[in-house]
Amino acid sequence: QRRRTAAADDAELASLRRALRAHPCHGLAEREANLRWVERYQRLSAETEQLERKVAATTHSLARAFDRILRLLGERGYVRPGDGEDRVTEHGRRLTRLYSESDLLAAECIRHGVWNGLGPAELAAVVSTLVFEARRDTAGEPRLPGGAVPGAWQETSRLWVELTEDERRHRLDRTREPDAGFAWPVYRWARGESLEKVLTAAETNGQELSAGDFVRWCRQVIDLLDQVRDVLGKQDPVGSAAAQAVRALRRGVVAAGAA
């Protein structure tokens, strides 16, 4: 390519300057201020367009996740094909009344009768595995009460394994693994033991708990037990056990200051 001459560059520059002076905006009194508003408009328009693309991508992603959740719930009998309220089954209506990080696992335990036959303290111990999460790893396996608790705990864990396999297959976030680290302390509290004895026993079994942590976890167990009671009703054996467990747990420091 031939190199442009200085004269050609000067001619082009002069032409551009004439065109600039001839533009209608050139003579405006507030030209510079208007230019700043134009720049601001262009910048905000670009930002808005970028945000709209992000929202559209997120909405699309949420829609796909919702479809995957529906497929999982359909396979497990919580919804059926179709539209409207009739699409939700009896099990699905129960699920809508459970509000927990592990609500689907709780619904599965209720549906499969895993908690049938448990007494109030035993039910509190098993239900605690769905809400408790240890701050750090503890040495050895957590101690469990005797009687029907170990069997119910094993069945709860088995359902969790099956559920997470299905969640993985549907590319959904996995339900948190149940943690039995609070089962022994909450069982003893539900049986009427003092806070000092409960905390000492927990420390002896490798699960150190402060009084504040104990109260906080107890109240979360109570919250889920309340939901189980409301879902099943007090006429149901598990619902009745849940109601009795709530009364047994809601005492002393656990009841103090609670709404």
Side-chain angles (χ1 to χ4, degrees), residues 212-231:
D213 286 338
F214 176 80
V215 170
R216 178 168 60 89
W217 289 119
C218 256
R219 288 178 178 173
Q220 291 194 38
V221 174
I222 288 172
D223 185 51
L224 185 51
L225 286 168
D226 270 332
Q227 295 173 37
V228 172
R229 177 203 61 199
D230 292 342
V231 165

Side-chain angles (χ1 to χ4, degrees), residues 119-121 123-124 190 222 225 240-250:
L123 181 61
I222 288 172
L225 286 168
S240 176
Q244 294 176 60
V246 168
R247 289 195 296 272
L249 294 176
R250 193 174 280 149

Side-chain angles (χ1 to χ4, degrees), residues 2-258:
R2 293 183 301 174
R3 298 183 60 182
R4 291 173 57 91
T5 64
D9 289 340
D10 290 343
E12 183 178 1
L13 182 58
S15 176
L16 291 174
R17 286 173 175 169
R18 288 194 298 273
L20 180 62
R21 288 193 295 270
H23 195 278
C25 292
H26 184 70
L28 294 177
E30 300 179 353
R31 180 184 60 192
E32 296 302 323
N34 290 336
L35 285 174
R36 287 194 293 272
W37 279 109
V38 170
E39 291 173 355
R40 184 179 181 186
Y41 170 80
Q42 291 174 338
R43 184 177 68 254
L44 291 176
S45 294
E47 291 176 358
T48 301
E49 184 179 352
Q50 184 180 16
L51 288 174
E52 288 175 345
R53 288 197 299 268
K54 288 183 178 179
V55 169
T58 301
T59 302
H60 187 54
S61 177
L62 288 174
R64 290 199 304 269
F66 181 71
D67 288 339
R68 291 196 290 266
I69 291 171
L70 282 180
R71 286 194 291 270
L72 173 63
L73 295 178
E75 288 180 1
R76 289 186 166 266
Y78 291 92
V79 294
R80 62 172 66 92
D83 298 316
E85 295 181 0
D86 291 341
R87 186 177 185 184
V88 181
T89 66
E90 178 185 356
H91 299 301
R93 285 188 287 273
R94 284 181 175 178
L95 177 59
T96 62
R97 299 171 64 189
L98 294 171
Y99 304 93
S100 164
E101 183 183 355
S102 302
D103 48 9
L104 183 52
L105 179 57
E108 286 289 278
C109 289
I110 293 173
R111 178 185 177 189
H112 292 279
V114 169
W115 298 340
N116 291 355
L118 296 176
E122 294 172 330
L123 181 61
V126 179
V127 165
S128 76
T129 68
L130 272 62
V131 300
F132 180 73
E133 187 173 7
R135 288 185 175 179
R136 56 180 175 81
D137 294 335
T138 55
E141 292 293 325
R143 180 175 179 180
L144 291 174
V149 172
W153 157 245
Q154 290 175 2
E155 284 300 297
T156 299
S157 298
R158 181 185 61 80
L159 285 179
W160 171 78
V161 171
E162 294 178 356
L163 177 59
T164 54
E165 288 176 351
D166 285 347
E167 289 170 335
R168 184 178 297 106
R169 179 166 51 84
H170 285 284
R171 292 178 295 157
L172 294 168
D173 292 338
R174 257 71 84 188
T175 298
R176 183 181 59 79
E177 182 176 3
D179 189 330
F182 195 61
W184 183 238
V186 77
Y187 173 82
R188 296 186 64 159
W189 180 255
R191 301 264 299 194
E193 295 191 19
S194 68
L195 179 62
E196 181 181 1
K197 287 185 177 181
V198 169
L199 296 182
T200 300
E203 184 176 0
T204 302
N205 289 283
Q207 183 63 61
E208 295 185 16
L209 289 169
S210 68
D213 286 338
F214 176 80
V215 170
R216 178 168 60 89
W217 289 119
C218 256
R219 288 178 178 173
Q220 291 194 38
V221 174
I222 288 172
D223 185 51
L224 185 51
L225 286 168
D226 270 332
Q227 295 173 37
V228 172
R229 177 203 61 199
D230 292 342
V231 165
L232 296 176
K234 294 183 180 180
Q235 302 305 315
D236 180 272
V238 177
S240 176
Q244 294 176 60
V246 168
R247 289 195 296 272
L249 294 176
R250 193 174 280 149
R251 64 181 178 88
V253 293
V254 176

